């Protein structure tokens, strides 16, 4: 029996939300949060407030194009991400004023993802 | 802004000044409440010294700010050799919507300023780096205004550099003339 996760129906429309943990580089203190799987995002995004609490230091600078076509320059932050049995060290992410993390293709492309929207299930598998 | 000026003046009067020989240097931690409209300005000036940011209701905010400013005036830090205050500024919970001014308050300005300096150093060195085969197309790490390491893989580079120099604002830039645009089309990205 495959382990599948239910869509979070508190989102409208329901969304694939994964339990995720993040930490700053070399830290063993992981912060749990919800991560919305977003295959349209090139890069993952963490909440501004969490970035501040974790005292993350800016690393790279990238040019970001938002949904409205607006282009802005933003710093990115290197973090460690734990998702299911997967661990990603030194993933650089953006931050914005939001509640949960956006899990972009920089993370998604490392595993096999099944989205069963009709039955409101999703599955993250090792390829 | 008037309250921010009062706070600034209180903070600036805190050092011992001429009585430095009489009293040993003391670390001052100031506990204050600032109106939301002044938070941005205050955080900009004292960002590195802000320990905790706490949001309070406007009507309560004004009363407490005035009281605390009066308290500071009444007890200048110079007369007490070991006075410790704890900074309190409006605080924003995770995910809570913030206005433009409030947003500025939760950014560690000191880190950003240091990082901007490293970024500027990279911009100045970029032309030279582009002419060097060792660097062209690779990522470089700029720390203290100098290129401290380079690698084709930015994650490997970040790991090595943070390990060697500690977790500080270090600029990682790619030596290329190409401008890559990252798309985050979710409306909620902001």
């Amino acid at each position: 029996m495959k382990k599948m996760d239910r869509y979070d129906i508190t989102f409208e429309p329901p969304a694939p939300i994964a339990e995720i943990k993040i930490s700053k580089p070399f830290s063993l203190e992981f912060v749990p949060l919800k991560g919305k799987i977003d295959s349209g995002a090139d890069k993952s995004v963490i909440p501004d407030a969490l970035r501040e609490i974790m005292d993350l230091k800016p690393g790279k600078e990238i040019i970001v194009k938002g949904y409205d076509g607006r282009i802005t320059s933003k710093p990115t932050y290197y973090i460690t991400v734990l998702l299911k049995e997967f661990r990603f060290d030194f993933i650089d992410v953006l931050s914005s004023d939001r509640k949960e993390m956006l899990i972009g293709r920089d993370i998604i492309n490392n595993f096999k993802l099944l989205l069963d929207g009709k039955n409101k299930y999703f599955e993250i598998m090792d390829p | 802004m008037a309250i921010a000026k009062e706070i600034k003046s209180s903070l600036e009067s805190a050092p011992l000044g001429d009585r430095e020989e009489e009293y040993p240097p003391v670390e001052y931690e100031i506990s204050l409440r600032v109106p939301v409209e002044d938070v941005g300005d205050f955080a900009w000036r004292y960002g590195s010294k802000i320990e905790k940011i706490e949001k309070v209701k406007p009507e309560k905010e004004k009363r407490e700010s005035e009281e605390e400013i009066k308290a500071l005036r009444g007890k200048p830090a110079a007369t007490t050799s070991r006075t410790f205050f704890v900074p309190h500024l409006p605080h924003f919970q995770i995910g809570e919507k913030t206005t433009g001014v409030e947003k500025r308050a939760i950014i560690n300005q000191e880190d950003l300023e240091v990082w901007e300096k490293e970024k500027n150093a990279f911009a100045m060195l970029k032309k030279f780096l582009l002419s060097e085969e060792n660097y062209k197309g690779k990522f470089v790490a700029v720390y203290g205004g100098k290129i401290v390491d380079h690698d084709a893989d930015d994650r490997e580079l970040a790991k090595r550099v943070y390990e060697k120099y500690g977790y500080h604002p270090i600029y990682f830039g790619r030596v290329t003339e190409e401008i890559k645009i990252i798309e985050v089309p979710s409306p909620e990205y902001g």
Side-chain angles (χ1 to χ4, degrees):
Chain A
M1 180 69 182
K2 286 182 178 176
K3 173 86 172 66
M4 297 185 87
D5 293 293
R6 281 179 181 275
Y7 272 43
D8 189 329
I9 56 167
T10 61
F11 286 79
E12 179 54 41
I17 304 290
E19 296 298 326
I20 208 161
K21 286 180 183 172
I22 64 173
S23 77
K24 65 181 177 185
F26 308 115
S27 172
L28 295 174
E29 287 179 28
F30 283 86
V31 179
L33 75 161
K34 290 186 171 186
K36 185 192 278 184
I37 294 170
D38 183 353
S39 63
D42 293 356
K43 197 167 268 301
S44 297
V45 185
I46 59 167
D48 270 343
L50 200 53
R51 183 212 67 216
E52 180 66 17
I53 289 166
M54 293 169 73
D55 194 23
L56 296 177
K57 310 296 183 194
K60 284 201 292 189
E61 180 191 36
I62 61 168
I63 311 295
V64 190
K65 188 177 181 183
Y67 77 100
D68 54 357
R70 201 167 42 140
I71 291 174
T72 49
S73 160
K74 297 267 188 182
T76 65
Y77 305 84
Y78 286 101
I79 58 168
T80 297
V81 176
L82 297 182
L83 171 59
K84 300 281 184 182
E85 68 269 32
F86 303 96
R87 181 187 173 115
F88 307 100
D89 287 305
F90 292 93
I91 288 272
D92 69 305
V93 296
L94 287 158
S95 87
S96 81
D97 183 20
R98 50 177 302 106
K99 276 184 184 173
E100 70 286 326
M101 183 171 172
L102 272 187
I103 305 172
R105 292 196 313 283
D106 53 340
I107 293 178
I108 294 172
N109 285 356
N110 290 285
F111 46 72
K112 192 184 284 185
L113 173 68
L114 172 68
L115 295 178
D116 181 355
K118 190 173 181 181
N119 294 305
K120 310 286 183 291
Y121 280 104
F122 70 100
E123 188 180 1
I124 293 169
M125 294 161 277
D126 199 337
Chain B
M1 284 305 295
I3 291 177
K5 279 177 190 163
E6 297 276 11
I7 293 163
K8 183 173 178 285
S9 128
S10 300
L11 286 169
E12 284 172 354
S13 66
L16 295 170
D18 295 341
R19 284 169 288 173
E20 205 161 284
E21 286 175 12
E22 193 180 338
Y23 297 96
V26 181
E27 265 189 50
Y28 292 97
E29 296 182 23
I30 313 295
S31 174
L32 294 169
R33 290 187 190 275
V34 183
V36 166
E37 61 267 25
D38 288 348
V39 168
D41 179 59
F42 195 76
W44 175 262
R45 292 171 194 278
Y46 306 106
S48 63
K49 295 169 189 168
I50 295 170
E51 186 178 280
K52 188 181 172 188
I53 299 174
E54 194 173 59
K55 195 173 187 177
V56 292
K57 288 179 183 173
E59 61 275 15
K60 196 178 171 189
E61 186 180 86
K62 194 178 175 195
R63 186 174 55 78
E64 291 193 2
S65 296
E66 287 169 353
E67 279 174 4
E68 287 176 11
I69 289 164
K70 278 179 192 167
L72 270 178
R73 280 178 176 162
K75 294 179 185 175
T79 60
T80 52
S81 59
R82 295 280 171 188
T83 303
F84 291 95
F85 304 94
V86 181
H88 289 284
L89 288 174
H91 172 70
F92 309 101
Q93 296 297 317
I94 293 176
E96 187 177 337
K97 285 287 171 193
T98 55
T99 68
V101 173
E102 290 168 337
K103 249 185 188 175
R104 280 166 51 197
I106 63 171
I107 295 171
N108 186 332
Q109 288 296 342
E110 195 177 64
D111 280 353
L112 275 182
E113 281 167 21
V114 172
W115 182 77
E116 287 284 347
K117 281 181 189 167
E118 309 293 18
K119 189 177 100 174
N120 292 340
F122 173 73
M124 289 172 71
L125 292 165
K126 197 170 175 182
K127 198 174 175 185
F128 161 75
L129 294 169
L130 279 165
S131 67
E132 293 286 312
E133 282 306 312
N134 276 355
Y135 295 111
K136 203 172 177 181
K138 292 180 181 169
F139 288 93
V140 296
V142 186
Y143 182 51
K146 293 173 187 168
I147 306 292
V148 292
D149 202 348
H150 65 282
D151 202 305
D153 184 337
D154 72 301
R155 290 169 67 181
E156 284 299 321
L157 177 66
K159 184 181 176 187
R160 213 163 51 226
V161 170
Y162 284 136
E163 222 163 22
K164 187 170 180 183
Y165 297 97
Y167 189 53
H168 303 294
I170 296 170
Y171 183 79
F172 297 90
R174 193 171 186 196
V175 184
T176 177
E177 284 176 305
E178 178 195 348
I179 297 173
K180 192 179 175 188
I181 297 177
I182 300 292
E183 287 194 27
V184 185
S186 303
E188 57 195 283
Y189 164 66

